Amino acid sequence: MTIVILFGQTFKPKTTRMNFEYTEEQLMVQKTARDYAQRELKKDVIERDTNAEYPTQHVKNVAELGFFGILTSPDFGGVGMDNISYVLALEEISKVDSSVAVIMAVHNSLACYGIEKYGNDEQKEKYLPGLASGEKIGAFLLSEPEAGSDASFQKTTAEDKGDYYLLNGVKNWITSANTASTYLVMAQTHPDKGHKGINAFVVDRNTEGISIGPHEDKMGMRSSDTHSVMFTDVKVPKENRIGDDGFGFKLAMKLLEGGRIGIAAQALGIAAGAYELSVKYAKERKAFGTEIINHQAIAFKLAEMATGIETARILIHKAAWLKDNNQPYGTISAMAKLYATDVAMKVTTEAVQIHGGYGYVKEYHVERLMREAKLTQIYEGTSEIQKMVISRAIAKE
């Protein structure tokens, strides 16, 4: 046995190692997602982006592959994979089409996980099987016209009427608003209590009194289904409240901690997709008698892009690993989202530059990836909010 004496102390070294290898199951998930994205999603992604067309068939196909129940327990019809598998799948899909990826992310990270983690047995049994199969799509309703980054400032109300709550208000920027069957809604029940008076509810999309606003004409992720949702005297059964009275804001914040891992993975995929296209183009395009990858100006751009992507990937996988192992992950997930989304913006901008004039047209994909990268710095907590989360954690150390 080896004995080590260090600083006057005797140690028996433990056999420990940092494992960066993927399991066979994780590699299978990665390959399945990549094959589908490159073979099927890429065929019509430009057309769907141009026309802001919802990817109906692709959503069904991705659900059949198991990706809409990837994190949900098999007890409720899900696949029950880990978060590493989840981010690998999101990365591959986001390399081609972030619209499909964001539908998948909101469904898994927020709707399914919220009900499975915080719902009671009856709620899980009632809602999760349909969601896990992808037969039903889940949406997360938190943002409002006057409550974006400050989610505690909820104006949507849930008035306690004894046997039910009466829901009134407006939610906006809701992914899958018009296609989802199951809403996870945050609303204020006790205004005098501030954020401690907010509740969370599972609401059926077809409940009387729910109306949908026009489709948002977005800069990127244009084929995802984004609308405002209006509630007018919507009756929500008492049994549809998740958790104790006043638990809603805490639930939303916990869900967003995990959601940031998914957004970071999307940003990573966008960056990696733009990088792969740039390497391919740089090896084919010639200027001044040689392929442009041989020019230092281009080679150094690719080197910086590759370094940023790999660093983001490690940070994201650490956050996913912490969540899988039931360790605190909120600060790391904020770091992952902050860093990965900045990398996505930088890499996609450089990708357009590397492609030159071709990068400015739709045919070469990178202009779309640059547009999609920008949103990752904004939704599910802006970059500025991530800095607040991180700096507050530092202050508490």
Side-chain angles (χ1 to χ4, degrees), residues 192-385:
D192 56 314
K193 295 182 179 180
H195 72 277
K196 294 183 179 180
I198 296 171
N199 278 310
F201 307 91
V202 185
V203 181
D204 187 331
R205 157 74 173 84
N206 294 320
T207 305
E208 185 178 354
I210 295 177
S211 57
I212 308 297
H215 181 271
E216 300 290 355
D217 191 6
K218 307 187 298 294
M219 180 172 78
M221 303 192 193
R222 289 174 49 77
S223 65
S224 68
D225 179 24
T226 308
H227 300 255
S228 293
V229 179
M230 285 71 75
F231 298 94
T232 305
D233 290 337
V234 176
K235 290 184 178 181
V236 180
K238 214 53 174 294
E239 60 266 25
N240 282 34
R241 189 186 75 200
I242 295 183
D244 296 332
D245 191 18
F247 180 65
F249 183 76
K250 185 176 181 180
L251 177 145
M253 294 303 101
K254 294 301 293 182
L255 293 184
L256 288 175
E257 285 185 352
R260 287 167 188 148
I261 300 174
I263 303 304
Q266 289 176 55
L268 173 62
I270 291 168
Y275 168 75
E276 290 176 5
L277 290 168
S278 297
V279 171
K280 182 176 183 295
Y281 181 82
K283 289 181 177 181
E284 295 172 349
R285 175 72 170 178
K286 288 186 177 182
F288 304 104
T290 186
E291 291 77 10
I292 63 173
I293 198 169
N294 296 321
H295 295 299
Q296 188 180 81
I298 301 301
F300 278 17
K301 286 182 185 296
L302 294 171
E304 291 179 357
M305 292 160 74
T307 302
I309 289 167
E310 194 60 34
T311 305
R313 183 175 288 119
I314 291 171
L315 193 54
I316 293 165
H317 288 196
K318 179 177 180 180
W321 183 89
L322 288 171
K323 186 178 180 185
D324 283 332
N325 286 273
N326 298 312
Q327 297 186 34
Y329 59 88
T331 303
I332 296 297
S333 70
M335 290 178 177
K337 183 181 186 297
L338 174 64
Y339 186 78
T341 58
D342 282 351
V343 166
M345 200 68 245
K346 292 174 183 176
V347 167
T348 54
T349 301
E350 290 286 43
V352 171
Q353 190 71 16
I354 289 170
H355 281 75
Y358 294 107
Y360 209 64
V361 297
K362 293 183 178 183
E363 180 185 352
Y364 285 76
H365 296 284
V366 290
E367 64 84 27
R368 184 187 73 258
L369 293 172
M370 188 173 84
R371 288 188 281 110
E372 293 179 340
K374 187 60 204 173
L375 184 55
T376 66
Q377 294 179 313
I378 298 172
Y379 67 170
E380 289 198 34
T382 63
S383 294
E384 291 74 18
I385 290 295

Side-chain angles (χ1 to χ4, degrees), residues 99-147:
S99 292
V100 172
V102 72
I103 296 165
M104 174 180 157
V106 170
H107 177 88
N108 280 289
S109 298
L110 302 177
C112 292
Y113 183 75
I115 295 172
E116 183 169 11
K117 179 70 175 179
Y118 299 104
N120 58 38
D121 290 342
E122 290 76 16
Q123 291 165 345
K124 294 176 187 178
E125 291 171 3
K126 180 177 180 180
Y127 295 106
L128 284 177
L131 291 170
S133 69
E135 178 185 348
K136 296 183 177 181
I137 302 298
F140 181 70
L141 284 68
L142 176 64
S143 293
E144 299 182 0
E146 297 181 37

